[in-house]
Short mmCIF file of all heavy atoms in Angstrom, two decimals:
data_model
loop_
_atom_site.label_atom_id
_atom_site.label_comp_id
_atom_site.label_asym_id
_atom_site.label_seq_id
_atom_site.Cartn_x
_atom_site.Cartn_y
_atom_site.Cartn_z
N GLU A 24 110.21 107.06 96.43
CA GLU A 24 109.80 107.45 95.09
C GLU A 24 110.69 108.54 94.57
O GLU A 24 111.90 108.58 94.80
CB GLU A 24 108.32 107.86 95.07
CG GLU A 24 107.39 106.73 95.45
CD GLU A 24 105.92 107.14 95.48
OE1 GLU A 24 105.65 108.33 95.60
OE2 GLU A 24 105.10 106.24 95.36
N HIS A 25 110.14 109.46 93.80
CA HIS A 25 110.93 110.54 93.20
C HIS A 25 110.24 111.85 93.51
O HIS A 25 109.15 111.89 94.04
CB HIS A 25 111.09 110.35 91.67
CG HIS A 25 109.69 110.48 91.00
ND1 HIS A 25 108.84 109.38 90.92
CD2 HIS A 25 109.09 111.50 90.37
CE1 HIS A 25 107.74 109.78 90.27
NE2 HIS A 25 107.86 111.04 89.96
N GLY A 26 110.86 112.90 93.17
CA GLY A 26 110.23 114.19 93.40
C GLY A 26 111.17 115.31 93.01
O GLY A 26 112.32 115.09 92.56
N LEU A 27 110.72 116.49 93.18
CA LEU A 27 111.50 117.64 92.86
C LEU A 27 112.67 117.76 93.84
O LEU A 27 112.58 117.39 95.03
CB LEU A 27 110.64 118.90 92.92
CG LEU A 27 109.44 118.90 91.97
CD1 LEU A 27 108.54 120.10 92.26
CD2 LEU A 27 109.90 118.97 90.53
N GLY A 28 113.77 118.30 93.39
CA GLY A 28 114.90 118.51 94.27
C GLY A 28 115.78 117.29 94.43
O GLY A 28 116.73 117.28 95.21
N LYS A 29 115.54 116.22 93.70
CA LYS A 29 116.31 115.00 93.86
C LYS A 29 117.45 114.98 92.84
O LYS A 29 117.21 114.99 91.64
CB LYS A 29 115.46 113.76 93.65
CG LYS A 29 114.18 113.76 94.49
CD LYS A 29 114.53 113.77 95.97
CE LYS A 29 113.25 113.66 96.77
NZ LYS A 29 113.36 114.18 98.08
N VAL A 30 118.68 114.93 93.31
CA VAL A 30 119.81 114.90 92.40
C VAL A 30 120.76 113.70 92.70
O VAL A 30 121.89 113.68 92.22
CB VAL A 30 120.64 116.22 92.52
CG1 VAL A 30 119.79 117.41 92.11
CG2 VAL A 30 121.20 116.44 93.90
N PHE A 31 120.26 112.74 93.45
CA PHE A 31 121.07 111.57 93.78
C PHE A 31 121.03 110.54 92.67
O PHE A 31 120.12 110.53 91.82
CB PHE A 31 120.58 110.95 95.12
CG PHE A 31 120.63 111.95 96.24
CD1 PHE A 31 119.45 112.44 96.79
CD2 PHE A 31 121.82 112.36 96.77
CE1 PHE A 31 119.50 113.36 97.84
CE2 PHE A 31 121.86 113.27 97.81
CZ PHE A 31 120.69 113.77 98.36
N ASP A 32 122.03 109.65 92.63
CA ASP A 32 122.12 108.62 91.58
C ASP A 32 120.80 107.90 91.34
O ASP A 32 120.43 107.65 90.22
CB ASP A 32 123.21 107.63 91.90
CG ASP A 32 124.61 108.19 91.72
OD1 ASP A 32 124.75 109.30 91.18
OD2 ASP A 32 125.57 107.51 92.15
N GLU A 33 120.15 107.52 92.40
CA GLU A 33 118.89 106.76 92.29
C GLU A 33 117.83 107.52 91.48
O GLU A 33 116.97 106.90 90.86
CB GLU A 33 118.29 106.43 93.66
CG GLU A 33 119.17 105.55 94.55
CD GLU A 33 120.31 106.31 95.22
OE1 GLU A 33 120.28 107.55 95.29
OE2 GLU A 33 121.21 105.64 95.71
N ASN A 34 117.91 108.81 91.54
CA ASN A 34 116.90 109.64 90.84
C ASN A 34 117.32 110.07 89.44
O ASN A 34 116.47 110.22 88.59
CB ASN A 34 116.59 110.89 91.64
CG ASN A 34 116.16 110.56 93.06
OD1 ASN A 34 116.90 110.81 93.99
ND2 ASN A 34 114.98 110.01 93.23
N ILE A 35 118.63 110.25 89.19
CA ILE A 35 119.03 110.79 87.90
C ILE A 35 119.73 109.80 86.98
O ILE A 35 119.86 110.08 85.79
CB ILE A 35 119.91 112.04 88.07
CG1 ILE A 35 121.26 111.70 88.72
CG2 ILE A 35 119.16 113.13 88.82
CD1 ILE A 35 122.25 112.82 88.67
N HIS A 36 120.20 108.67 87.48
CA HIS A 36 120.82 107.67 86.60
C HIS A 36 119.70 106.78 86.03
O HIS A 36 119.10 105.97 86.73
CB HIS A 36 121.81 106.82 87.36
CG HIS A 36 123.12 107.52 87.60
ND1 HIS A 36 124.23 106.89 88.02
CD2 HIS A 36 123.47 108.84 87.45
CE1 HIS A 36 125.22 107.74 88.14
NE2 HIS A 36 124.78 108.93 87.79
N VAL A 37 119.45 107.01 84.74
CA VAL A 37 118.39 106.26 84.10
C VAL A 37 118.96 105.63 82.82
O VAL A 37 119.96 106.10 82.29
CB VAL A 37 117.18 107.14 83.73
CG1 VAL A 37 116.53 107.75 84.97
CG2 VAL A 37 117.57 108.28 82.76
N PRO A 38 118.33 104.63 82.32
CA PRO A 38 118.84 104.02 81.07
C PRO A 38 118.58 104.91 79.87
O PRO A 38 117.61 105.67 79.85
CB PRO A 38 118.00 102.72 80.92
CG PRO A 38 116.80 102.94 81.73
CD PRO A 38 117.14 103.92 82.81
N MET A 39 119.49 104.89 78.94
CA MET A 39 119.29 105.51 77.64
C MET A 39 119.85 104.50 76.65
O MET A 39 121.04 104.24 76.58
CB MET A 39 120.04 106.84 77.45
CG MET A 39 119.77 107.45 76.07
SD MET A 39 120.73 108.94 75.70
CE MET A 39 119.95 110.13 76.80
N ILE A 40 118.94 103.85 75.94
CA ILE A 40 119.31 102.79 74.99
C ILE A 40 119.01 103.32 73.59
O ILE A 40 117.89 103.74 73.31
CB ILE A 40 118.51 101.53 75.28
CG1 ILE A 40 118.81 101.06 76.74
CG2 ILE A 40 118.86 100.41 74.28
CD1 ILE A 40 117.81 100.04 77.26
N VAL A 41 120.04 103.27 72.76
CA VAL A 41 119.87 103.73 71.38
C VAL A 41 120.17 102.54 70.48
O VAL A 41 121.23 101.94 70.56
CB VAL A 41 120.85 104.88 71.07
CG1 VAL A 41 120.69 105.35 69.62
CG2 VAL A 41 120.63 106.07 72.00
N ARG A 42 119.24 102.25 69.59
CA ARG A 42 119.40 101.22 68.57
C ARG A 42 119.26 101.92 67.25
O ARG A 42 118.24 102.57 66.98
CB ARG A 42 118.35 100.13 68.74
CG ARG A 42 118.51 98.99 67.77
CD ARG A 42 117.65 99.23 66.55
NE ARG A 42 117.85 98.20 65.54
CZ ARG A 42 117.73 98.43 64.27
NH1 ARG A 42 117.46 99.61 63.78
NH2 ARG A 42 117.90 97.45 63.41
N ALA A 43 120.32 101.83 66.41
CA ALA A 43 120.26 102.52 65.13
C ALA A 43 121.02 101.72 64.09
O ALA A 43 122.02 101.07 64.41
CB ALA A 43 120.86 103.93 65.29
N PRO A 44 120.60 101.82 62.85
CA PRO A 44 121.31 101.12 61.79
C PRO A 44 122.75 101.62 61.67
O PRO A 44 123.02 102.80 61.76
CB PRO A 44 120.52 101.47 60.53
CG PRO A 44 119.31 102.17 60.97
CD PRO A 44 119.46 102.57 62.38
N GLY A 45 123.68 100.68 61.53
CA GLY A 45 125.06 101.04 61.32
C GLY A 45 125.82 101.41 62.59
O GLY A 45 127.01 101.79 62.53
N VAL A 46 125.16 101.38 63.74
CA VAL A 46 125.83 101.74 65.00
C VAL A 46 126.04 100.46 65.76
O VAL A 46 125.10 99.77 66.12
CB VAL A 46 125.00 102.77 65.80
CG1 VAL A 46 125.66 103.06 67.15
CG2 VAL A 46 124.80 104.06 65.00
N ARG A 47 127.29 100.17 66.10
CA ARG A 47 127.61 98.99 66.85
C ARG A 47 127.27 99.18 68.32
O ARG A 47 127.42 100.28 68.85
CB ARG A 47 129.09 98.64 66.70
CG ARG A 47 129.41 98.19 65.27
CD ARG A 47 130.85 97.83 65.07
NE ARG A 47 131.31 96.85 66.06
CZ ARG A 47 132.59 96.65 66.33
NH1 ARG A 47 133.52 97.33 65.71
NH2 ARG A 47 132.97 95.75 67.24
N PRO A 48 126.81 98.12 68.99
CA PRO A 48 126.47 98.28 70.42
C PRO A 48 127.69 98.71 71.23
O PRO A 48 128.80 98.22 71.00
CB PRO A 48 126.05 96.85 70.82
CG PRO A 48 125.66 96.20 69.56
CD PRO A 48 126.50 96.80 68.48
N ALA A 49 127.47 99.65 72.12
CA ALA A 49 128.55 100.17 72.98
C ALA A 49 127.97 100.61 74.28
O ALA A 49 126.81 101.04 74.36
CB ALA A 49 129.24 101.33 72.27
N ARG A 50 128.77 100.54 75.32
CA ARG A 50 128.37 101.06 76.63
C ARG A 50 129.16 102.34 76.89
O ARG A 50 130.40 102.31 76.94
CB ARG A 50 128.66 100.04 77.72
CG ARG A 50 128.20 100.54 79.09
CD ARG A 50 128.49 99.44 80.15
NE ARG A 50 127.85 99.83 81.39
CZ ARG A 50 126.63 99.50 81.75
NH1 ARG A 50 125.91 98.75 80.98
NH2 ARG A 50 126.16 99.87 82.93
N ILE A 51 128.46 103.44 76.98
CA ILE A 51 129.11 104.73 77.24
C ILE A 51 129.12 104.94 78.75
O ILE A 51 128.07 104.89 79.39
CB ILE A 51 128.36 105.87 76.53
CG1 ILE A 51 128.40 105.63 75.02
CG2 ILE A 51 128.92 107.23 76.92
CD1 ILE A 51 127.52 106.59 74.23
N THR A 52 130.30 105.17 79.30
CA THR A 52 130.40 105.29 80.75
C THR A 52 130.50 106.72 81.25
O THR A 52 130.37 106.96 82.45
CB THR A 52 131.66 104.52 81.27
OG1 THR A 52 132.82 105.01 80.63
CG2 THR A 52 131.50 103.01 80.96
N THR A 53 130.75 107.67 80.34
CA THR A 53 130.75 109.06 80.79
C THR A 53 129.32 109.58 80.85
O THR A 53 128.44 109.03 80.21
CB THR A 53 131.56 109.93 79.80
OG1 THR A 53 130.99 109.81 78.49
CG2 THR A 53 133.02 109.57 79.79
N PRO A 54 129.06 110.59 81.67
CA PRO A 54 127.69 111.08 81.79
C PRO A 54 127.12 111.60 80.46
O PRO A 54 127.79 112.21 79.68
CB PRO A 54 127.82 112.25 82.79
CG PRO A 54 129.08 111.97 83.56
CD PRO A 54 130.00 111.29 82.57
N VAL A 55 125.87 111.26 80.26
CA VAL A 55 125.12 111.76 79.11
C VAL A 55 123.85 112.42 79.66
O VAL A 55 123.56 112.31 80.86
CB VAL A 55 124.79 110.68 78.05
CG1 VAL A 55 126.07 110.09 77.53
CG2 VAL A 55 123.92 109.62 78.61
N SER A 56 123.08 113.05 78.81
CA SER A 56 121.92 113.77 79.28
C SER A 56 120.76 113.63 78.30
O SER A 56 120.98 113.28 77.12
CB SER A 56 122.29 115.27 79.42
OG SER A 56 121.15 116.03 79.77
N GLY A 57 119.57 113.93 78.76
CA GLY A 57 118.42 113.90 77.87
C GLY A 57 118.56 114.87 76.73
O GLY A 57 117.99 114.67 75.64
N VAL A 58 119.35 115.95 76.90
CA VAL A 58 119.55 116.89 75.79
C VAL A 58 120.40 116.33 74.67
O VAL A 58 120.53 116.92 73.62
CB VAL A 58 120.16 118.26 76.27
CG1 VAL A 58 119.25 118.95 77.25
CG2 VAL A 58 121.54 118.07 76.84
N ASP A 59 120.98 115.11 74.90
CA ASP A 59 121.76 114.46 73.88
C ASP A 59 120.92 113.63 72.88
O ASP A 59 121.41 113.23 71.86
CB ASP A 59 122.81 113.52 74.52
CG ASP A 59 123.79 114.27 75.40
OD1 ASP A 59 124.05 115.47 75.11
OD2 ASP A 59 124.29 113.66 76.36
N VAL A 60 119.64 113.43 73.22
CA VAL A 60 118.82 112.58 72.36
C VAL A 60 118.60 113.23 71.00
O VAL A 60 118.81 112.60 69.96
CB VAL A 60 117.43 112.27 73.04
CG1 VAL A 60 116.51 111.56 72.07
CG2 VAL A 60 117.65 111.47 74.31
N ALA A 61 118.16 114.49 70.95
CA ALA A 61 117.91 115.15 69.65
C ALA A 61 119.16 115.25 68.79
O ALA A 61 119.13 114.85 67.61
CB ALA A 61 117.32 116.55 69.88
N PRO A 62 120.33 115.69 69.30
CA PRO A 62 121.54 115.71 68.47
C PRO A 62 121.93 114.31 67.96
O PRO A 62 122.40 114.16 66.83
CB PRO A 62 122.61 116.30 69.36
CG PRO A 62 121.91 117.03 70.42
CD PRO A 62 120.59 116.33 70.60
N THR A 63 121.74 113.30 68.80
CA THR A 63 122.07 111.92 68.39
C THR A 63 121.19 111.49 67.22
O THR A 63 121.67 110.98 66.21
CB THR A 63 121.95 110.98 69.56
OG1 THR A 63 122.84 111.38 70.60
CG2 THR A 63 122.24 109.53 69.16
N LEU A 64 119.88 111.68 67.35
CA LEU A 64 118.99 111.30 66.28
C LEU A 64 119.21 112.08 65.00
O LEU A 64 119.16 111.57 63.90
CB LEU A 64 117.52 111.44 66.74
CG LEU A 64 117.08 110.39 67.78
CD1 LEU A 64 115.66 110.70 68.27
CD2 LEU A 64 117.14 108.97 67.22
#
């Protein structure tokens, strides 16, 4: 499962899918973060 103290790929690599008008589908391969959601929106 998951828990505190977990920093391995299985625990921190999660999907982030953004669908927005005027934005073409793309796969971003560099690391992104949950703190990127608000600036993106």
